[in-house]
Amino acid sequence: MVCNRPCLHTNALKLYRENMTHDNTPEPIQHIFENMGSPKLPQNREKRSSKPISFKPIPFHVTQDFKMKINTGFKKLAYQDPTTGRYVLLPDGHLCHHCGHAITTQQFTATHEDIPVFLRDEIARADVFSVTCSMCERVVPCDGQEYSVLNMGHFLIGYDVLRDYLNNFLHGSRPVYTYFRVWEDNLDDRGITHSELTYHRFLNAWYGFLSLVDVDFRNGFSCPLCEKNEGGLPRIIICDGTSLSFRRDMMTVHAEPEETCYFERTSTHSSRVFLRSRQTRELLQRYCSPATPMSERDHKDLLSAMSTNHHTLHMFLLSIDDGSRRCPPPYRRFLSDISRNFPVCSLLPSSPPVRELVQMLLSGVNIRQLPGKWAALQAHVPLLFDLFCADASLIPLPIALHELLKDMWAVSQQPFKQSTSLNHQCDSVPSKPRAYFPSLPLLHCRGRYGADKSPPDSSCEKTFRGHPFLLPGIFTIFCEHGICYGFELMESCESANIPFSIFNTRFTKAPSVVIYDFACNLHAYCLNRDPIFFQETRFLVDRFHWKNHKACPSSYHLSSYPSLSHLNSQVNEQANAGLKKIKGQVSYMSEDHFLSHCELYLYNKNHHLRKSLLGNH
C-alpha cells in the first residue's frame, strides 16, 4: 500500500517522478510510482495556477501620475466603442518589454473580446488587443496599467478593487474571502450581476497583483538610525518567535545545503561555571536564602567544600561570616549569582571596558572617586556596582574579595583562551529560501560544530505548544528602534540555533546586546560553538519574561542595567501581536504566498516607523 497524503516525503517523490527517466530509476522506486498512479489534478487547477498577463511593476507608494489614473477611473481612461458599447484596450507604451525595441506597427490583434472588467462599484465589458514586435516577433500584450486595471487574460480587474483590499490587508484583519463576499454583496445591492468572477479568480488576481507590486525591500528592512553604526548594522537586537505560520503539508521541498566546514568544540560548560559541584551550588544558594538560617551540618559542609575546592571563595565567606549561618544582606545577591549554574562571563563580560575596570580594581584603584569609571561599572558590571553600593568598605578591595575577583576573572576568560576566530570559508554561500533578511545577506555558511551532537547545557527550559497541522511560526529580529530586519520560517520548535545562525552568517560583527526571552540558553549555545565571535555580546532576558527565569543570575535581567532602561524590550512582542491580525489570512496559503504576504506586511510597518524616525531626527 502506497501513501498518497501530501506530506514532505510524498511531495519529494512526486518531484522526483516528474524528472526521472526509466534508465536511471531503481525498480523498487518505479514500482512505488506505478502504485501511486497518475497524478490527479483538480478540475480547477488551471484557474488556481493562472498568472496575470500584466507585466509592468505596480508602485506600492502611489505616485502623482498613478494617483491621477486611479482617480480618473477606467471608464474615462479607456475608449468606448459606440457600436458595441465595449471599451477598447490597446497595448501600453511604445517599447517591446521582451527585447526593448520600439514598436512601430499599428496592426493590433484582438486577444480577448467581450470580457468583463470588474471595478469596485460596477462591471464593464472590454475588447483587449495585442501587437507583435517586428524585431523579436513576440507578442506584446496589453498590460492594463494605462487604464488602471490588471489584465488576467479572461477578465480584467481594477486597481481600485485591488488597492482597496491591499489597504484592508495592511491595516486590518480582513481575509481576502471576507473582502470578496462584501464586494459581492455591494454589487448585489446595486443589482449588478457578478457571476463571472469567482472567489478563486479573485484570489488569483490578488496574488498576481501582489507579485507585481514594486517595493524596495532592502531599504525598507533597515533602520535609518542603525545605518550610522559601524558596518551599518544594528548593535542592539530584540528577537523572538511568533506562532504565525502555515500548513506543514504546504511546504515546498528544498534541497538542504551541504555544510562543508566543521569546527571542533573548544569550550565546555563545566569550565565556564564558578562552582562545578551541584551539591556545593545548592549549599551556597541555601546560605543566601533569606528565609531561615542553614543548619549547623549544612553550614559545616559548605565551608568544608569551599576550603577543599574553592579557597578564594572560602576566604571571602569567612571574612563576612557573622555567626548566624545566614548570608549578610549586602552580599546575598553577589553570592547567589556566583552559585548559579551559568557562565561566569555572564557576570563579568569579556569586553575591553570590563577588562579595564577589573584591572583597576585589582590594582587597588578607588574607582568610586572616578565618576566616569564608576558609571561604567554600573553599566557593564551591575553585580559589582550593587555590591560596592551595599558595602562601601569593599573599595579598595580587601584581600579576600581581591583574590575572589581575580579567580572569577580567570574563569570568565576560560571560553575565549582556548578558542580562535573561526574560518567560514566555503566554496559557495548557500541560499536559505525560508529566511528573509533583505538588508542582511548571507555572508557564509553556518558550518557544523562538535557541540551540535550534544544536549543543551542551560538549566533553563522553555516549553512549546505546537499545532498539529501548522508549522511552529516565524522568528523575527528587530533593532532597538523597532525596525524589523527580517524573519525566518521555523520548521521545528523554536531553538537557539535560529538566532545563532542569523547572527553568525549575516553579521560581520556580533551585536553588542541581544534581548531574547531565552537569552540564557542562547548564550550557552553560542559559547559552545563560536565563543570568539560572541565574546563581547551581552545576552539579556526582556522584562516581561524574566519572572519565568528562576534559576538564572541577575546578570541576564535587562532591568539590572540602568543604561538600557530606555529600551522597549516588548517591541518584538508588540509587532508579533500585529502579525496575528493576518493569521486568519495566511495560515492556509502556500509557502511562497505566505512569505510574500509576511514581507509586505512587515515592510509597511517599517515604512511608517522609518518616516517617524527620520522626522524626529
Side-chain angles (χ1 to χ4, degrees), residues 74 85-88 113-117 123-127 196:
F74 169 78
R86 300 194 292 266
Y87 292 87
V88 178
E113 296 180 337
D114 195 20
I115 61 173
V117 184
I123 299 175
R125 312 295 298 187
D127 295 330
E196 291 178 280

Side-chain angles (χ1 to χ4, degrees), residues 478-492:
F478 289 76
C479 74
E480 60 181 300
H481 307 107
I483 295 292
C484 178
Y485 269 75
F487 61 90
E488 181 169 343
L489 183 64
M490 296 187 292
E491 300 176 39
S492 57

Side-chain angles (χ1 to χ4, degrees), residues 348-392:
L348 292 174
S350 182
S351 61
V354 176
R355 185 177 295 108
E356 181 185 3
L357 290 169
V358 171
Q359 290 173 353
M360 292 177 69
L361 288 169
L362 294 177
S363 300
V365 177
N366 187 349
I367 63 172
R368 191 190 296 271
Q369 298 176 354
L370 304 173
K373 299 304 178 183
W374 186 244
L377 186 69
Q378 183 184 27
H380 297 285
V381 196
L383 181 66
L384 290 181
F385 178 85
D386 292 343
L387 177 65
F388 297 149
C389 288
D391 187 351

